[in-house]
Amino acid sequence: MDFELTEEQQAVRDEVRRFAENEIEPIAKEYDQEEKYPWEIIDKAAEMGLTGANIPIDYGGAGYSALEVAIIIEELFAVDAGIGLCVTSTAFGADAIREFGTEDQKEEYLSPVAAGDAIMGTAISEPDTGSDVSSVSTTAEKDGDEWVINGNKMWITNGSVGDFFVVMCQTDPEADDRYSGFSQIIVEADRDGFESDKITGKLGIRASDTAELIFDDVRVPEENLVGTRGMGFLQLMQFFDETRTAVAAQGVGIAKGACERALEYAQQREQFGRSISEFQAIQHKLADMHTQTEAARNLTYKSAWSVANTDDQLTQLASMAKEYASRVAVEVADEAVQIHGGSGYVNDFDVERFYRDAKITQIYEGTTEIQKNIIARELLGKGF
């Protein structure tokens, strides 16, 4: 077992961290408070290849492995989760096109995202459908050589800034089983009948764009179908293994950032005539926080390795990593606020933002409860 990063991977880590500290950190508080999208940061990230980190080189991307993507996510989120998500989600949904799309689709949709000329998203959740993906009610009906799409999608990342979306639709309502009636279809945001409504007032990741999408007789050509008709649900399950590993990396990044700030503050803050880092109660908190973060990192990196090596344990590992790292993010951010005391309860210090940002990692891409169900299912050898 080799736990050492290659020189290239270490260089990626160092360069991304410098980018985050120089470009993101100075504006993180402002963009969080005003809930605005950091367009200028996206342009700079594109120049570094970060908007196409997981897109193959053949289509203009950096072609990074899942582990390298996890490293990038970790470093960005260790500075700010909201803007970090804006950068890393520009290609959200690219995995589906990369794995199941046609060559024409890859050229048309992946290349502009990698170049920083477009933003994409994936649309799964609906107002009444979250964890139960098989209850998606947005429909796509065939009319000649077009798909006609109707329905609503909710909590969609990049919803009001995206140029196109990979949309999960019900295409075969009479399918024999509950998992075979769905397909993924690419929908461009400039199509007639497409609307987006930005969602504000979020607890955390406030710079990241989230919206409701409305499809009212939206027509797209039949060639916008991703992969095989009726295989959308199974495609999505494979997609989730990668995205859940990415969310685990988000959790590790938030925990890392909270650890760094708590350690620095504990050494600077004085009470009773000495640094609070000299008190055993604080030392134990710091020890636990850093230990939990390192454990989450190793589990996440193993999951990322499994993505690249198609390990049989991938689904189980991805859910383990996502569940554990998100829990660690919440717990470590909580302790970071506690170490800061009253100062941690106001936005003069970053830990207040980290505390709010951490919670979403336990919700999106499958809740904590869903991850535990998946882990148990895999252990017991059961199907969907």
Side-chain angles (χ1 to χ4, degrees):
M1 291 165 49
D2 185 1
F3 291 94
E4 187 176 10
L5 297 180
T6 65
E7 289 185 7
E8 179 184 355
Q9 289 168 340
Q10 188 60 56
V12 169
R13 162 164 279 165
D14 294 342
E15 188 64 25
V16 173
R17 187 54 184 259
R18 280 193 294 271
F19 172 79
E21 290 176 342
N22 293 335
E23 303 293 342
I24 297 176
E25 190 167 10
I27 65 170
K29 179 179 175 180
E30 173 192 349
Y31 279 63
D32 171 74
Q33 290 178 324
E34 298 184 14
E35 300 187 55
K36 61 181 182 180
Y37 192 80
W39 290 102
E40 70 279 16
I41 297 297
I42 300 303
D43 291 339
K44 293 175 181 178
E47 293 174 4
M48 292 182 60
L50 298 181
T51 57
N54 63 336
I55 293 176
I57 295 173
D58 291 346
Y59 307 104
Y64 287 132
S65 69
L67 176 56
E68 289 153 353
V69 170
I71 291 169
I72 290 169
I73 292 171
E74 179 182 339
E75 293 306 320
L76 291 173
F77 275 66
V79 172
D80 181 63
I83 297 178
L85 182 59
C86 293
V87 172
T88 58
S89 70
T90 53
F92 193 31
D95 300 314
I97 297 175
R98 185 195 68 207
E99 293 296 323
F100 307 108
T102 65
E103 281 301 313
D104 287 344
Q105 288 174 340
K106 293 174 186 179
E107 288 287 351
E108 182 175 355
Y109 298 107
L110 298 187
S111 296
V113 172
D117 296 330
I119 294 170
M120 66 179 298
T122 187
I124 304 166
S125 295
E126 298 180 354
D128 297 320
T129 304
S131 298
D132 184 8
V133 177
S134 62
S135 292
V136 161
S137 60
T138 295
T139 61
E141 297 182 0
K142 205 65 182 304
D143 182 20
D145 59 357
E146 292 181 315
W147 292 102
V148 182
I149 302 172
N150 285 281
N152 286 42
K153 296 292 183 179
M154 196 70 173
W155 314 116
I156 306 306
T157 299
N158 298 332
S160 71
V161 299
D163 296 286
F164 51 87
F165 301 88
V166 177
V167 183
M168 178 65 76
C169 302
Q170 186 183 92
T171 51
D172 299 278
E174 304 302 322
D176 293 337
D177 65 82
R178 63 181 302 193
Y179 304 114
S180 299
F182 305 94
S183 303
Q184 297 193 90
I185 299 174
I186 300 169
V187 180
E188 297 87 353
D190 60 359
R191 295 278 177 181
D192 290 340
F194 176 93
E195 293 182 28
S196 64
D197 185 14
K198 182 179 173 67
I199 296 170
T200 59
K202 293 182 297 186
L203 175 69
I205 57 167
R206 292 160 65 91
S208 174
D209 182 77
T210 309
E212 177 182 9
L213 305 184
I214 302 167
F215 304 88
D216 183 11
D217 283 339
V218 177
R219 288 178 173 269
V220 300
E222 60 184 354
E223 56 264 29
N224 280 28
L225 175 70
V226 179
T228 305
R229 176 174 177 168
M231 295 297 290
F233 184 91
L234 295 177
Q235 292 171 357
L236 188 63
M237 293 304 103
Q238 180 174 327
F239 178 52
F240 270 146
D241 289 338
E242 280 193 58
T243 57
R244 285 169 178 162
T245 301
V247 174
Q250 294 176 12
V252 173
I254 292 170
K256 176 181 179 177
C259 279
E260 291 171 346
R261 286 153 179 76
L263 180 61
E264 180 181 6
Y265 184 84
Q267 294 175 90
Q268 295 176 349
R269 174 67 168 169
E270 290 189 358
Q271 289 288 281
F272 304 102
R274 53 180 170 159
S275 163
I276 65 172
S277 65
E278 295 183 27
F279 293 103
Q280 189 178 66
I282 300 298
Q283 292 175 354
H284 285 184
K285 287 182 183 295
L286 292 170
D288 287 343
M289 292 162 67
H290 282 77
T291 300
Q292 286 177 287
T293 301
E294 186 62 27
R297 178 180 293 113
N298 277 279
L299 183 55
T300 298
Y301 285 10
K302 184 176 181 182
S303 180
W305 178 90
S306 295
V307 169
N309 291 274
T310 59
D311 183 33
D312 290 341
Q313 286 187 301
L314 172 56
T315 296
Q316 179 176 310
L317 280 171
S319 287
M320 285 179 168
K322 200 272 188 187
E323 190 284 321
Y324 184 70
S326 63
R327 173 157 43 101
V328 167
V330 171
E331 292 176 357
V332 168
D334 180 43
E335 287 287 52
V337 170
Q338 192 71 19
I339 288 172
H340 279 70
S343 296
Y345 201 68
V346 294
N347 64 6
D348 292 343
F349 289 84
D350 290 345
V351 291
E352 179 269 345
R353 189 175 72 251
F354 278 62
Y355 183 69
R356 290 186 287 105
D357 288 340
K359 186 59 186 177
I360 191 60
T361 62
Q362 291 188 310
I363 298 173
Y364 59 17
E365 296 306 303
T367 64
T368 291
E369 293 75 16
I370 290 296
Q371 302 316 310
K372 290 182 177 180
N373 287 348
I374 293 170
I375 295 166
R377 183 197 73 201
E378 292 296 308
L379 291 171
L380 296 169
K382 296 183 177 180
F384 295 118

